[in-house]
Amino acid sequence: MSNPQGVVILDFGGQYTQLIARRVREAGVYSVVLPYTASVEDVLAHEPKGLILSGGPAGVLDEDAPLCGRQIFELGIPVLGICYGMQLMAHVLGGLVARAPQREYGPIPVSMLQREKGLLKGMDAVSPCWMSHTWQVRELPEGFSAIASTQACPVAAMEDESRGLYGVQFHPEVTHTREGRVLLENFLKEVCTLTADWNMEAYADMAIRQIKEQVGEKGTVLLGLSGGVDSAVAAALIYRAIGDRLTCVFVDHGFMRKGEGDQVVEVFSNTFPVRLVNVDASDRFFSDLKGVVDPEAKRKIIGRDFVEVFKEEAAKLGKLDHFAQGTIYPDVIESGAVKGSAVIKSHHNVGGLPAELGFTSLVEPLSMLFKDEVRKLGLTLGLPQTLVMRQPFPGPGLAIRTLGELTREKVEIVRETDAILREEIAAAGLAGKISQYFTVLTNARSVGVMGDERTYAYAVAIRAVLTDDFMTADVAQLPYELLGKIAGRMVGEVSGVNRVLYDVTTKPPASIEWE
Ligand code: XMP
């Protein structure tokens, strides 16, 4: 099968490279991200109709700046350079790049000078664009003209229409650039003459093809189902690719939500009749977590126990060749696996496993997708709406929502109050409107009175947030009436609870989970 028509994105280490890929997918166009070190032959092997050079943290004049040769601009294929990518284009083609007299950061009004055709076609005369740069193009290379500017940056965008070469100093891929989508669509459709024929079905077909190639004709795969959306979608995709050569292991660590384990088992025995091993390992997890209160220590123990349970189950199953995970792109960033990003919390599903388990390779078919794209893919693959549209759930589960030492009784309080919260939010018609909502056992006990009796019981907190990307979040403003009803049910129906609190902190400074 020939390559789908699309663009190659060359990655110069920018934090937004995958976001560029995502925006290109949203425009209905196929893209592939290659490292900047890719040879011209590698690039041409993808038969691109356009090239995009990403941003990056370096300056083109730095000693070990990531550079590319002139040849990339002489292939007769249109090129769009973004931020560092534009400076690189100017530098390589004979322009002058220098430190900007004034650093621009944030949304800056940009004057669009050429709006009749090409890159900036149809954009507003002045449009807010996201800038983040210390260098700028001071002199244009021969044949180029400036097509946008700001007060501090005379070349905010440039073009050499005859050669199909374009550059923008700002970031069209971030939502703070109001008309960023228009610009990218102009490049893809007007300049590269691509049509919007790339969609989730096409993505699924390609991913299935890649899995087949990676696993080979006879290869077998072990996948850990976590109960969440991501591993379920990864399983469905791999099942499509290799059928019963996939074995799924579902480890119940004892920290699943109410009814969750049963749903996973049902979907994967009925919709996808895959070989499923269901392990109840809760005794081991509770025993290893006895006396542990530090959040990171809990996460580490849970991660380690997972690996051990997997090792044992894998040994029982006989030799399986590859190991699969439902890692998605934000997991990769938050765990610090991308150079330059900081470790905030250890996600137990990232890194380490295949080396320890002796597998030939790691299959991660979702590692370039964002959450909402994974959901779309899940629906495309025929997974039920109730599973695919459910809110995200962390790998360590209710363990990181039960503060202090973990006991079965305390986790049960979280499970039951969480079930009430979910039920009431669904009944109020708010389920699809809140990004994530759950309860936390605060580990604080307080005095109360119930039926003339003194109580001394736990305070449960409700967390409900609105977010697109889970990197930042706002507090969801649940109606007071609903909160009152929920609090009444929790205190009345769940023993061990006599007080309910509402967490009104945004992220940052708080994180979404409490641990
Ligand atoms: P935080 O608490 O970091 O959460 O603001 C951001 C999002 O990530 C989820 N989360 C996890 N997901 N494994 C996961 O798969 C984990 O270890 C993990 N920790 C947090 C969290 O539920 C929220 O959606």
Side-chain angles (χ1 to χ4, degrees):
M1 191 179 144
S2 65
N3 288 313
Q5 293 221 314
V7 294
V8 164
I9 301 168
L10 284 179
D11 182 11
F12 290 88
Q15 54 175 328
Y16 300 133
T17 305
Q18 288 305 330
L19 203 51
I20 301 174
R22 180 202 166 117
R23 298 289 176 238
V24 173
R25 287 196 288 274
E26 281 173 356
V29 172
Y30 167 76
S31 72
V32 57
V33 176
L34 297 179
Y36 76 92
T37 46
S39 67
V40 170
E41 292 71 39
D42 285 346
V43 171
L44 290 178
H46 293 274
E47 301 167 40
K49 301 274 275 177
L51 304 175
I52 298 179
L53 314 184
S54 82
V60 286
L61 301 179
D62 290 351
E63 214 169 282
D64 26 331
L67 299 176
C68 65
R70 220 187 145 83
Q71 222 190 328
I72 268 300
F73 304 106
E74 294 172 342
L75 300 170
I77 300 172
V79 185
L80 171 64
I82 295 177
C83 193
Y84 176 84
M86 166 167 110
Q87 295 165 8
L88 181 67
M89 182 185 287
H91 176 71
V92 171
L93 297 177
L96 180 71
V97 175
R99 268 191 192 281
Q102 188 187 329
R103 185 165 186 252
E104 284 182 303
Y105 186 80
I108 307 274
V110 176
S111 304
M112 306 297 170
L113 310 173
Q114 164 56 282
R115 300 183 292 131
E116 305 295 306
K117 58 184 166 110
L119 198 64
L120 310 181
K121 186 175 166 188
M123 289 177 69
D124 291 344
V126 178
S127 196
C129 298
W130 186 262
M131 290 277 202
S132 173
H133 69 118
T134 40
W135 296 80
Q136 61 175 221
V137 173
R138 198 63 69 73
E139 282 171 27
L140 289 162
E142 211 181 306
F144 278 81
S145 54
I147 53 169
S149 65
T150 73
Q151 224 167 15
C153 183
V155 185
M158 64 180 198
E159 72 172 17
D160 177 347
E161 197 191 348
S162 63
R163 286 189 283 171
L165 302 180
Y166 299 83
V168 285
Q169 183 53 69
F170 50 87
H171 288 272
E173 68 277 22
V174 307
T175 46
H176 305 278
T177 297
R178 199 177 60 205
E179 296 181 291
R181 281 166 201 268
V182 179
L183 188 149
L184 285 174
E185 293 219 357
N186 281 342
F187 177 69
L188 298 168
K189 291 167 191 172
E190 299 279 322
V191 177
C192 304
T193 63
L194 282 157
T195 41
D197 53 8
W198 183 247
N199 52 28
M200 268 307 160
E201 275 95 40
Y203 186 92
D205 286 346
M206 193 194 65
I208 288 167
R209 208 155 26 99
Q210 286 170 347
I211 294 166
K212 281 183 177 159
E213 262 168 43
Q214 183 178 351
V215 172
E217 295 225 330
K218 298 210 167 91
T220 48
V221 176
L222 176 67
L223 178 137
L225 278 178
S226 71
V229 179
D230 307 338
S231 59
V233 174
L237 200 55
I238 298 169
Y239 181 76
R240 279 279 187 89
I242 62 165
D244 60 9
R245 284 182 285 134
L246 168 68
T247 303
C248 292
V249 174
F250 175 57
V251 177
D252 186 348
H253 45 26
F255 312 124
M256 293 293 167
R257 285 174 289 199
K258 197 170 179 176
E260 189 141 51
D262 295 343
Q263 190 189 14
V264 168
V265 173
E266 196 192 303
V267 168
F268 280 91
S269 354
N270 295 344
T271 329
F272 293 91
V274 54
R275 182 147 75 125
L276 176 65
V277 180
N278 191 358
V279 195
D280 179 358
S282 58
D283 283 345
R284 174 193 311 217
F285 282 85
F286 274 106
S287 139
D288 290 351
L289 287 160
K290 203 165 170 25
V292 180
V293 293
D294 177 66
E296 274 298 287
K298 279 186 191 172
R299 283 173 170 272
K300 293 257 154 68
I301 292 169
I302 294 170
R304 186 204 64 199
D305 279 5
F306 244 98
V307 174
E308 277 168 16
V309 175
F310 260 108
K311 266 191 197 162
E312 289 167 16
E313 292 307 318
K316 282 188 215 156
L317 289 165
K319 173 102 181 71
L320 292 164
D321 309 318
H322 307 269
F323 185 78
Q325 302 194 115
T327 315
I328 68 169
Y329 188 63
D331 301 338
V332 181
I333 305 180
E334 286 224 339
S335 287
V338 170
K339 216 174 101 197
S341 63
V343 180
I344 312 292
K345 292 176 184 178
S346 332
H347 280 234
H348 81 264
N349 50 344
V350 177
L353 281 163
E356 280 191 56
L357 293 170
F359 287 101
T360 320
S361 82
L362 180 60
V363 184
E364 287 186 314
L366 312 178
S367 64
M368 292 304 147
L369 295 185
F370 292 79
K371 192 90 195 176
D372 54 330
E373 295 181 302
V374 172
R375 291 192 205 280
K376 272 193 209 143
L377 181 59
L379 293 176
T380 304
L381 292 168
L383 284 172
Q385 184 99 8
T386 47
L387 195 152
V388 170
M389 296 319 282
R390 67 159 57 144
Q391 45 170 335
F393 188 61
L398 303 181
I400 56 164
R401 296 175 179 173
T402 310
L403 307 199
E405 185 180 358
L406 293 159
T407 62
R408 284 190 187 268
E409 294 69 36
K410 282 167 69 180
V411 173
E412 201 51 33
I413 291 178
V414 183
R415 185 174 290 120
E416 289 300 327
T417 50
D418 175 77
I420 291 175
L421 180 70
R422 285 194 283 145
E423 227 175 275
E424 289 299 331
I425 286 195
L430 295 173
K433 299 192 177 121
I434 307 171
S435 319
Q436 198 171 7
Y437 45 96
F438 53 86
T439 58
V440 176
L441 186 73
T442 64
N443 208 32
R445 286 198 291 168
S446 70
V447 174
V449 54
M450 259 170 116
D452 297 335
E453 293 282 335
R454 176 186 189 272
T455 58
Y456 184 55
Y458 285 114
V460 164
I462 296 173
R463 182 83 166 133
V465 295
L466 300 176
T467 172
D468 285 332
D469 57 9
F470 296 88
M471 306 283 200
T472 59
D474 274 332
V475 177
Q477 303 196 4
L478 293 185
Y480 266 112
E481 255 172 57
L482 177 62
L483 284 171
K485 185 171 178 213
I486 291 170
R489 280 197 59 192
M490 286 180 184
V491 173
E493 294 174 31
V494 185
S495 69
V497 180
N498 70 351
R499 200 177 287 270
V500 178
L501 315 172
Y502 194 37
D503 181 349
V504 291
T505 332
T506 55
K507 171 184 180 177
S511 52
I512 295 176
E513 303 289 348
W514 277 38
E515 289 194 335

